[in-house]
Amino acid sequence: MEGDCLSCMKYLMFLFNFFIFLGGACLLGVGIWVIVDPTGFREIVAANPLLFTGAYIMLAMGAMLFLLGFLGCCGAIRENKCLLLFFFMFILLIFLAELSAAILAFIFRENLTREFFTKELKKHYLRNNDTDVFSSTWNSVMITFACCGVNGPEDFEAVPHLPPYSLEKAMPEACCQRELQSREGMIVNKEACLAGVEKFQNRQGCYSVILNSFETYVYLAGALAIGVLAIELFAMIFAMCLFRGIQ
């Protein structure tokens, strides 16, 4: 009976590590896609140090999970105590790091409000100054998502770095409609856009556009994160049980 239980534990351990292996492969793939994607995310990530760091953290985490899943599968099938102990210690470190990141994200969630982004835009935005990281990032976001400002074009009325002209003249070129939603895309009618012709402008705020675009993926990512944490917890339990059961 004890041998059957150990055998069952071994294959369950292999199954859980296989899912960790797949999860690491997915994270690795998403991280690579974000960095090399040609539709605009690459230049946004490159222009923003925080996103740049986050993308490479995702790559590192994916590679680590990929490796640990592989080691866990090998340790379970071959009943190798050293591999199992190595797997347990590193999966514990990853589990604690992910849990800490989730707690920090919950604590600082107020920094992702509409009011916060509006305040930062009005304070730091320099319109078409692509040498400024903040402005270049915002221009890339507005071009990629075909949106304007946080709430709409009216956000640029209070931008202190622009002359106190009318709303239309204060609108940056990034808010103009383009044939292709990228920096290489030609503006449909630049003169009419900057003169205030609304049909040549992107009037919808970026906050709503991005929120609607990623709402489904946010819930999916949250559910996936909870699932990964649960799998890692069970994998650690099975690893320790298998470690103690191997003679």
Side-chain angles (χ1 to χ4, degrees):
M1 179 66 70
E2 184 177 347
D4 292 339
C5 183
L6 187 62
S7 179
C8 179
M9 191 76 68
K10 179 174 71 174
Y11 288 109
L12 282 174
M13 173 74 179
F14 176 84
L15 182 63
F16 276 114
N17 278 282
F18 181 71
F19 284 123
I20 291 174
F21 175 82
L22 289 181
C26 289
L27 275 179
L28 199 59
V30 170
I32 293 172
W33 175 77
V34 167
I35 291 175
V36 304
D37 177 59
T39 59
F41 287 100
R42 178 175 52 191
E43 57 188 7
I44 295 174
V45 171
N48 192 316
L50 184 61
L51 292 178
F52 184 80
T53 303
Y56 278 95
I57 289 175
M58 185 183 296
L59 277 175
M61 292 295 292
M64 190 175 294
L65 287 175
F66 183 87
L67 176 62
L68 287 178
F70 177 77
L71 291 175
C73 288
C74 291
I77 291 298
R78 300 185 62 178
E79 298 185 7
N80 188 305
K81 296 186 75 171
C82 290
L83 284 177
L84 288 173
L85 185 60
F86 177 82
F87 166 81
F88 176 84
M89 295 301 296
F90 273 85
I91 208 72
L92 177 61
L93 289 175
I94 292 173
F95 179 85
L96 293 176
E98 291 173 343
L99 195 60
S100 300
I103 293 172
L104 288 174
F106 179 79
I107 292 174
F108 293 104
R109 68 190 186 281
E110 66 271 9
N111 288 341
L112 299 177
T113 61
R114 184 189 297 267
E115 291 73 20
F116 172 80
F117 286 118
T118 303
K119 179 182 176 182
E120 291 298 302
L121 179 71
K122 293 179 178 180
K123 183 178 180 181
H124 300 292
Y125 185 68
L126 300 175
R127 197 160 68 166
N128 298 320
N129 186 354
D130 285 336
T131 60
D132 177 66
V133 172
F134 183 89
S135 303
S136 177
T137 301
W138 259 107
N139 288 334
S140 295
V141 169
M142 292 190 290
I143 291 171
T144 301
F145 291 95
C147 56
C148 189
V150 178
N151 309 287
E154 63 274 9
D155 289 341
F156 298 104
E157 288 183 293
V159 173
H161 303 282
L162 297 177
Y165 298 150
S166 64
L167 169 63
E168 292 77 20
K169 291 183 179 179
M171 177 180 288
E173 292 179 10
C175 290
C176 296
Q177 292 184 6
R178 295 171 181 254
E179 296 175 359
L180 178 66
Q181 293 309 129
S182 70
R183 284 187 176 272
E184 292 73 28
M186 295 293 294
I187 298 175
V188 176
N189 192 328
K190 180 178 176 180
E191 291 74 17
C193 169
L194 298 180
V197 181
E198 293 188 5
K199 72 175 184 177
F200 295 113
Q201 300 173 345
N202 297 315
R203 307 288 301 180
Q204 192 169 4
C206 292
Y207 191 88
S208 299
V209 171
I210 296 176
L211 194 64
N212 292 335
S213 299
F214 289 100
E215 185 176 12
T216 303
Y217 299 103
V218 168
Y219 290 119
L220 182 62
L224 182 63
I226 293 173
V228 169
L229 287 174
I231 289 172
E232 289 172 352
L233 183 61
F234 279 108
M236 286 189 292
I237 293 172
F238 285 135
M240 189 51 60
C241 290
L242 189 59
F243 178 86
R244 292 172 61 87
I246 294 174
Q247 301 300 324

